[in-house]
Amino acid sequence: MRNVYVGGAAVVPFGKHRGESAADLGAQAVGDLLRVTGVAPSQVETGYGGTMYGGSLLAQRVLQRVGVSGPAVFTVENACASGASAIHLAWQAVASGSVGCAIAFGAENLSDFGGGALPLASHDLEIAQGMVMPAAYAMRAQRYLHGWGATSQDLDRVSVKNRANGSRNPRAHFQAEVTLEEVSESRLVADPLRLLHCCPNSDGAAAVLLCSEGFAEDHGLPLVRVAASVVRSGRFSTGYRDMTWPDITARTAARAYQQAGLGPDDLDLVELHDAFSIAELLHAEALGLTTRGKAYVALENGEFDRDGRVAVSPSGGLLSRGHPVGATGVVQVCESYWQLTGQADELQVPGAEVALTHVTGGGIFGVDNGACAVHILTTRDDE
């Protein structure tokens, strides 16, 4: 397996893009990617597009619009990990030596659903009984608050931090800070989660170019190495499930750290799946950023701030940046790429050299989540 590099990134800002389809948004992102990298469509040897609601053959429709026509192209659906799974498959293609240049993108338009919780597969046993994602995370939050001594104000702090980060991000759906009082007084959604504890349904797209070292050097592209790319599915069990421990995240991260030869202490920044405020606390612990049951303490002490021990969601995360499902895993890599190449402007984490991205999702009976993807990016030379 050879080294794989991120050669460029492009994002259609997240928000409401009514009247534009997922294919429209995806074509904008991929077109911008080709322009900023200077790569010709004919040089793209394969492409992968992640989406959950964008329809059949999204990747083919997007790539044909920008002139990539003829090579192997794949449309990937893997719930919230769709875009990150597209990146993983593109990484495999380059790492194996099959291709020297691949595009991975994610695109989604959720405005068509109007509002409220996203529709899930009704034939699943738990979903048929009324399970929706806000309810699932509310149960996780209740167990965490009960078991570890945290309070609802600790959930508020997650939202305040990430909205403050997102207020500096021109690509974010929400670009305004909120106060603890505003979060605690926002409308109740599923106790203890309130409206400002929940990410918005957004529209948007993101794209990255993955390539070999030789391709990057030939095109004068920065060398940001993909030190790890791992995707895992949930383990099925009909028995007891610990609602406060995302096993799928812990397993995926453990494999990624092993693959990269790095650990949690090496990370400068993390873009994780904070679809709900409680998710940041749960996943921070499963990623090894802090000991179990202590993420809320680390948060209160400023350890997850942009200038803290490890910057968590410096882009604003899903809570501020938004969550166009198929695009989320890709935009995390875009934001990390800009951090590592010193192009993050007001979001910049000083001296950032190692970044981890994490996305997980998909409600299925008997597992904590259907899919999880973790990527580790670095500008370090040591391997």
Side-chain angles (χ1 to χ4, degrees):
M1 301 288 277
R2 63 178 174 176
N3 286 339
V4 179
Y5 297 85
V6 180
V11 173
V12 175
F14 291 3
K16 293 299 181 184
H17 294 275
R18 294 181 176 88
E20 295 185 85
S21 68
D24 294 332
L25 298 170
Q28 290 178 48
V30 176
D32 288 346
L33 176 68
L34 294 176
R35 281 189 287 275
V36 299
T37 58
V39 172
S42 61
Q43 294 176 298
V44 178
E45 298 176 79
T46 188
Y48 300 83
T51 189
M52 188 170 180
Y53 299 104
S56 175
L57 298 178
L58 176 71
Q60 287 83 346
R61 287 183 279 128
V62 165
L63 292 173
Q64 286 176 4
R65 288 195 194 187
V66 299
V68 180
S69 180
V73 172
F74 303 88
T75 298
V76 181
E77 188 279 305
N78 215 8
C80 299
S82 296
S85 297
I87 291 177
H88 177 68
L89 295 172
W91 170 82
Q92 286 185 336
V94 177
S96 69
S98 297
V99 303
C101 172
I103 282 178
F105 75 90
E108 213 78 76
N109 186 306
L110 302 181
S111 291
D112 291 344
F113 293 111
L118 292 175
L120 301 174
S122 59
H123 55 269
D124 182 271
L125 178 61
E126 291 182 355
I127 295 169
Q129 296 298 315
M131 178 65 75
V132 291
M133 297 315 294
Y137 278 93
M139 287 191 287
R140 290 166 181 160
Q142 290 284 18
R143 290 304 306 169
Y144 187 88
L145 299 188
H146 173 77
W148 299 108
T151 69
S152 59
Q153 190 172 71
D154 294 307
L155 303 180
D156 301 345
R157 289 192 181 96
V158 176
S159 298
V160 169
K161 173 180 69 72
N162 291 353
R163 285 293 193 99
N165 288 341
S167 70
R168 303 182 178 199
N169 189 348
R171 297 170 292 277
H173 189 152
F174 294 134
Q175 297 178 32
E177 297 188 29
V178 296
T179 65
L180 288 171
E181 184 178 23
E182 287 173 324
V183 179
S184 66
E185 293 182 355
S186 61
R187 176 171 58 84
L188 190 66
V189 173
D191 193 24
L193 299 180
R194 296 184 174 274
L195 184 63
L196 294 182
H197 294 137
C198 309
C199 71
N201 292 342
S202 309
D203 313 325
V208 294
L209 183 108
L210 298 188
C211 59
S212 66
E213 183 174 4
F215 188 95
E217 291 177 341
D218 289 344
H219 290 77
L221 303 174
L223 290 178
V224 175
R225 183 167 56 91
V226 183
S229 178
V230 179
V231 176
R232 290 289 184 267
S233 61
R235 285 176 172 163
F236 179 78
S237 172
T238 57
Y240 168 77
R241 275 182 281 165
D242 186 344
M243 298 293 285
T244 68
W245 183 247
D247 174 72
I248 191 172
T249 293
R251 288 188 294 107
T252 310
R255 176 59 184 136
Y257 290 138
Q258 180 185 43
Q259 188 178 102
L262 298 167
D265 292 342
D266 294 301
L267 304 177
D268 297 306
L269 67 114
V270 171
E271 291 286 347
L272 56 70
H273 192 81
D274 61 326
F276 301 87
S277 53
I278 183 61
E280 176 165 316
L281 304 181
L282 299 178
H283 294 308
E285 294 173 9
L287 291 170
L289 306 186
T290 185
T291 55
R292 189 171 182 188
K294 296 299 182 182
Y296 71 97
V297 177
L299 174 73
E300 185 177 7
N301 291 339
E303 295 180 39
F304 297 163
D305 290 349
R306 185 183 292 106
D307 58 354
R309 175 172 56 83
V310 54
V312 177
S313 296
S315 71
L318 282 65
L319 286 169
S320 183
R321 194 184 58 239
H323 186 29
V325 181
T328 292
V330 183
V331 77
Q332 292 177 332
V333 171
C334 292
E335 296 285 357
S336 298
Y337 169 81
W338 288 319
Q339 287 280 358
L340 299 181
T341 55
Q343 302 178 67
D345 298 324
E346 291 189 63
L347 305 177
Q348 189 67 53
V349 174
E353 294 182 327
V354 182
L356 179 147
T357 70
H358 157 270
V359 62
T360 184
I364 301 177
F365 166 66
V367 303
D368 56 349
N369 276 125
C372 180
V374 170
H375 288 88
I376 298 177
L377 311 179
T378 183
T379 53
R380 290 182 182 176
D381 292 330
D382 53 306
E383 299 180 31

